[in-house]
Amino acid sequence: MFRATLKSLLARKVRLVLSGLAVVLGVMFVSGAFVLTDTLGRSFDAVFADGLSDVDVNVAAKPKVALGEAEGEQVAAPVPASVVDQVKAVPGVAEAKGVVNADGARLIGSNGKVVTSFGPPQLGENWLGESDLVKLREGRAPQADDEIVVNVALADAAKVKVGDRVGVLTLAPKKEFTLVGVFGYSGGRDSIGGVNEVAFTTPVAQQLMLGKPDVFTNVTLRAADGTTPEALRDTVARAVGGQYEVKTGKQVAADASASLKEGLAFFNKILLGFAAVALLVGTFLILNTFSIIVAQRTRELALMRAIGASGRQVIGSVVLEAVAVGLIASVLGLAAGIGVGALLAYLFGKLAGGLTLAGLGVPPAAIIGAFAVGLLITVAAALLPALRASRIPPIAAMQDVATPDRPLTKVTVGGAVVTAIGAVLLFLGLDGHAGDQTLATILGGVLFAFIGVALLTPLISRPVVSLLGTIFAWSVPGKLGRLNSGRNPRRTAITAAALMVGIALVTGVTVILDSAKGSISALARDTIKAELVISGAQSGPRPPSFDPAVLDQTAALPGVQLVDGEYGDMAVVDGERTWVAASSNVAALERIFGAKANAGDISRLGPDQMLVSSDTAKSRNLSVGSTVTVQLSRGEARTYTVRGVYESSQFTNPMVLPAQAASNFAIPQPIQGFVQLAPGTRVADVQPQVERLLADSPEVSVADRDAFIKQQASQLDGLLTMIQILLALAIVIAVLGIINTLALSVLERTRELGLLRAIGLRRGQTMRMITVEAVVISIFGALLGVAVGSGLGAAVVRALKDEGITDLVLPWGQMGTFLILAAIVGVVAAVLPAIRAARINVLGAIAHD
């Protein structure tokens, strides 16, 4: 039986190639995700270990507000200069240096624009001199207050050279400096991890990056000979007390790398999610392929039963074929995944500003995942056809057997039950009844919904396909193609379901994001009563900001009625982290954003007063007169009294502090400005004047309200494009499924095609017949996808009504595009099967058994 199975597999190797290819693509995604995150993780380990190679012990103050990796760059609490002298006197310390090292130093390049960073921080530092790690490549060290040095990578990106006058943005507005030197790192490196670095003299770095003199972000220590870093760490920790974090250089490097790896783990889950979608689609393809092959081998399998093979042996024969396909596909998928992971790591390194990648590695998770997924998916998909094969009676070997259509009752009932389960799970997840398992519940609901719809598809495939086929029924090939596409509802349904999954997901995501864009845009137009908005596009961990003086200068312009500058920061309020805002003009809350007073006075604020939204007041049990303790990123905790409560909306912050509080924000500059014009004043008269005021704030610009709203809404377009690209893999696998189904159908209908050719059907007509069949199946799958995706998207939009997504927007244009693309997909998928059908030898086909 084993030898017979191998011979059968080798005889049908071409038929199984496309099925195996589906598994290859899915496994490629799985293994590629693990290879990518492993390579980047080890690269970050090397970067931080290298950057701290000359540090034995590090002393830092505990941050006022701890931030997660996705929340921006951590603001370090200042370490007084006296601590440097204190630790110098600790036994075992050979050298102690006060270090200023903070994110937020943005160099203005020769083109007048700020050099941006897509991930790595833009550090402002104090120049500590050359070392084994850091070497000046050109020029000299900064000596005067208006002199700086930068690393080679930043100088190249900004296209500046030694001797140039350059502008730098920090906690303070733009200041001019002379570039007196350019430095690099050992090993010929222009940067470490793609980080842009600007080094000032120590007093200037303290003032510009930390906001006060005689403080540092941390103190680095070198151990004396005979003292281990661990021993020195413990000694220094006892000397400075519990308010400081004292760690070895290796510990600091490991902690910093672990923080970045948290973000990589999240990214890894996203890639694995898309791999799961691809494998789900591949399951439909494999199931269909083995079902067709079993149907074609009916007489062969019956003959095996007649000569003594048991049902278990027949099942083993089919499963063994599946194992062989899964094993080969897993090997190829793993190899492809290693290549894809390496390519993505390379692109990530380039995007991150030249991250030096560690050597490519293949973690055990990639290998285990590749084979586990490849074999499991293939065998699971082949089980149902295997069971069907085991039930073939031996008598079938003695007659010309056609596979009869089986009743759809059981499939329909099963599909209805599974769909109902999916609907219940979606309801529980979207309506907030799933608690901590909301995401898992929603994903389970989507999975059950897809499987349920796939099981229900055979019930509707024949009438719908017949209706679609009438479009092409004006010719004999069109009529034949229409009949062929509907002759086997199960086969058509499974083939179409594979395409349905990919298109449904793309459609659903498009509905959700378009609805979000439409709702937010409509609400913004109705709410924001400012004709001009000052803002910038965020390209890194820090939002763009501008000089607060611009607000006063703008307010003085003719025709300007009201100006408001908005500041924002993450704070700890009564022990809980929350986002807080500060406003330069609290009256804007009512006059620009249309907020209504719920209690108290919201028109003005004293230095120790604050406003809260109604939702925040309810959740924190606050009312007018309540006091709260607020710890901002800088400074000491301060107690504020609630002066007023305003109605919550999408465009109001949970808490508003007075403008004076912004000096202790992580970014003590406004990140947005709103300008309300007097009645009768033209936007075109004021906008150019505000643009001139922003000449020293190149990160931001001023736009009219409609342009600002459009810019904010367009940020969702990038997310949609990324999702569409990743889901394109599922659609590619679905196309392979159509090709495979048609190819196997052509083989199955060899004699029939020979007879049609014998009675006059020409080669061109044969090709058109196969093409019509493919196009009808493709459009049927696309219609299913559009319908299911629209339904799922509408359900999510309905569940997000309380979050501000109130308008359901159906992307009719894109849905029409999907249908047109489906027709094109059908034509492309039909090319090879159609050519094969047209080349059939007529006499040989008629004699074919």
Side-chain angles (χ1 to χ4, degrees), residues 40 83 126 147 161 177 194 249 254 295 370 380 384 389 395 443 472 476 490 519 527 589 636 647 696 849:
L40 293 180
V83 174
N126 61 328
E147 295 179 344
K161 59 184 183 300
F177 295 87
L384 188 60
I395 193 67
L443 293 177
F472 308 97
V476 171
R490 293 173 186 268
S519 300
T527 303
L589 197 62
E636 300 303 319
E647 291 292 340
D696 288 340
D849 187 4

Side-chain angles (χ1 to χ4, degrees), residues 650-778:
Q650 296 298 310
F651 296 97
T652 55
N653 290 289
M655 295 184 174
V656 177
L657 302 178
Q660 300 93 315
S663 60
N664 285 324
F665 280 18
I667 303 174
Q669 296 177 338
I671 55 180
Q672 284 185 332
F674 296 87
V675 183
Q676 189 179 74
L677 304 182
T681 303
R682 296 194 316 152
V683 170
D685 294 335
V686 179
Q687 186 171 350
Q689 299 180 68
V690 180
E691 287 175 348
R692 286 192 288 272
L693 296 177
L694 293 169
D696 288 340
S697 301
E699 290 181 301
V700 299
S701 60
V702 60
D704 62 65
R705 182 183 60 179
D706 289 342
F708 168 73
I709 294 172
K710 184 177 180 180
Q711 177 192 30
Q712 298 301 304
S714 66
Q715 294 178 9
L716 295 175
D717 293 336
L719 175 62
L720 178 60
T721 300
M722 181 188 73
I723 292 173
Q724 289 174 336
I725 291 173
L726 291 172
L727 287 175
L729 177 63
I731 296 176
V732 169
I733 294 175
V735 174
L736 295 178
I738 297 172
I739 296 173
N740 211 21
T741 298
L742 289 175
L744 292 170
S745 295
V746 166
L747 186 64
E748 185 180 52
R749 305 199 310 255
T750 299
R751 188 175 183 185
E752 174 188 319
L753 291 170
L755 290 172
L756 287 172
R757 291 292 313 284
I759 62 175
L761 194 69
R762 297 187 298 275
R763 286 187 174 182
Q765 291 177 312
T766 303
M767 295 179 69
R768 288 201 298 275
M769 177 184 70
I770 301 297
T771 301
V772 167
E773 186 176 350
V775 169
V776 169
I777 293 174
S778 297

